[in-house]
Amino acid sequence: MSNHDRDPILLTPGPLTTSLATKAAMLRDWGSWDASFNGVTAQVRAKLAAIIHSQDSHVCVPMQGSGTFSVEAAVNTLVPRDGHLLVLINGAYGKRLARLTAMMGRRSTTFETADDVPTTAADVDGLLAKDPSITHVGLIHCETSTGIENPLREIAEVVAGHGKSLIVDAMSSFGALPIDARTTPFDALVAASGKCVEGPPGMGVVFVRKSTLERCGGNSTSLALDLHDQWTYMEKTTQWRFTPPTHIVVALNAALDQHASEGGQPARLARYRANFEMLMSGLRELGLRPFLPPAIQAPIIVTVHAPADPKYLFAEFYDRVRAKGFVLYPGKLTQVETFRVGCIGAIGPGEMRHAVNAMRDALAEMGVRDVTPAGAARAAA
Ligand SMILES: *Cc1c(COP(=O)(O)O)cnc(C)c1O
């Protein structure tokens, strides 16, 4: 059977491969005023909150747009105009958070570690002790540009200990890595429809501590990205403030039912871990080397060193692997040449084994023999 008559499997960190049931949920039209649609919105908010046990402490505010829209809305709504956000950076999403904070006219300070060095609770403790003008801290839980996991729980405890407010970008971890709002203190946590909950992309969500959000009216410098207004309007009317992404909401509702019936977050993590282990053993077989050491690598997305062989070109590798039915992701590092493979989406280790075979065959077709890492990493290897 040819792979050309079906969609390729997306080994990308969102959009990702969704199940047939999730896709089928999009085959209906819904009116934004209609009670049946607004009932679905309420269900989606409750199901999302249950994943991180936040229903008693936080409100779940959905937001139109890709994940970045919700990150921007969280900063814009939570950080007062005279606030000061400390942004913890070890990759592209941390840099994006610092950039959008500056563009909204909020004061920010950045703390950057290398792409393969997690931020530690001790780092944050020192930074907060040194600068009492900091009011908020921004953290990327899983930095998708490499796949590194930052220690959310430890950092959250330190931030709370200093009496500061924590904003977490949990976009690529929510639904798969364990997060518990009852034991991990944060004021806002941002997730999206099209990552580990395996819905289609197009909607974000911010869990905001209720007592915090109640005091955030008037902070926003944007009409559209105002979580306080979105929340109060939705509480009053049950409706979204502006046109809702109806098909995304109903598909996400279906995806969340599958998340629950699979066994919730622990089962989702177990499947992704099985995908990840299959990928890692495959990479070992092929002689390809992952960028991160296993101890700090989340089983969400893996960054792989590009082969040194001059016959290797990412664009050709990508096209050949795609022709075999799998979509890879380019690297995002500036110092070393890499590519990325996502472990998330409605796939299992069987598909991942086929993906490894596709990579092996593509490299052989290209005549790539020297798979040792290219460039700077070679000296370090
Ligand atoms: C996907 C992602 C985002 C949001 O990116 P969009 O392209 O706006 O969806 C933000 N942060 C992290 C860590 C992500 O993985």
Side-chain angles (χ1 to χ4, degrees), residues 12-16 171 192-203 248 252 344:
T12 60
L16 37 64
M171 213 73 69
S193 57
K195 301 225 169 157
C196 300
V197 286
E198 298 182 359
M203 181 193 139
I248 308 307
L252 177 58
I344 64 180

Side-chain angles (χ1 to χ4, degrees), residues 13-14 65-71 93-94 96 140-145 169-173 190 192 195 201 329:
S66 85
T68 304
F69 291 63
S70 286
V71 176
Y93 290 100
R96 187 184 294 180
I140 315 295
H141 185 197
C142 173
E143 176 48 85
T144 320
S145 51
D169 173 348
M171 213 73 69
S172 64
S173 54
V190 190
K195 301 225 169 157
Y329 212 54

Side-chain angles (χ1 to χ4, degrees), residues 19 21-22 43-44 46-53 174-176 196-199 251-269 271-272:
S19 73
T22 298
Q43 284 178 43
V44 164
K47 288 172 192 174
L48 288 167
I51 293 175
I52 57 165
H53 314 284
F174 177 83
C196 300
V197 286
E198 298 182 359
L252 177 58
N253 194 35
L256 289 168
D257 287 342
Q258 294 156 60
H259 185 270
S261 60
E262 184 176 359
Q265 171 270 320
R268 188 58 52 100
L269 178 60
R271 177 159 57 82
Y272 290 171

Side-chain angles (χ1 to χ4, degrees), residues 195-360:
K195 301 225 169 157
C196 300
V197 286
E198 298 182 359
M203 181 193 139
V205 62
V206 190
F207 303 90
V208 193
R209 188 178 298 285
K210 188 161 183 250
S211 55
T212 303
L213 188 56
E214 281 164 349
R215 289 183 279 106
C216 287
N219 280 349
S220 179
T221 56
S222 155
L223 174 69
L225 301 177
D226 186 341
L227 294 175
H228 181 269
D229 208 33
Q230 180 90 325
W231 171 58
T232 49
Y233 185 86
M234 197 170 268
E235 291 300 310
K236 207 161 52 196
T237 65
T238 75
Q239 293 166 21
W240 292 60
R241 208 173 31 142
F242 306 129
T243 303
T246 46
H247 295 74
I248 308 307
V249 176
V250 294
L252 177 58
N253 194 35
L256 289 168
D257 287 342
Q258 294 156 60
H259 185 270
S261 60
E262 184 176 359
Q265 171 270 320
R268 188 58 52 100
L269 178 60
R271 177 159 57 82
Y272 290 171
R273 195 170 286 292
N275 296 346
F276 169 77
E277 298 297 348
M278 179 61 79
L279 173 64
M280 296 301 268
S281 75
L283 294 175
R284 269 195 302 277
E285 260 172 57
L286 303 187
L288 291 168
R289 200 158 67 86
F291 172 74
L292 292 177
I296 55 172
Q297 165 79 63
I300 301 291
I301 185 165
V302 176
T303 300
V304 184
H305 283 289
D309 199 308
K311 292 218 175 87
Y312 173 86
L313 289 169
F314 176 73
E316 186 185 348
F317 182 53
Y318 176 93
D319 285 344
R320 289 184 181 277
V321 173
R322 194 192 187 287
K324 299 173 199 310
F326 300 91
V327 171
L328 299 175
Y329 212 54
K332 211 170 187 158
L333 304 181
T334 47
Q335 303 296 315
V336 282
E337 210 202 323
T338 55
F339 65 91
R340 286 177 291 171
V341 187
C343 302
I344 64 180
I347 58 163
E351 278 89 1
M352 190 59 89
R353 180 65 237 179
H354 291 305
V356 169
N357 293 345
M359 288 186 249
R360 180 195 61 212

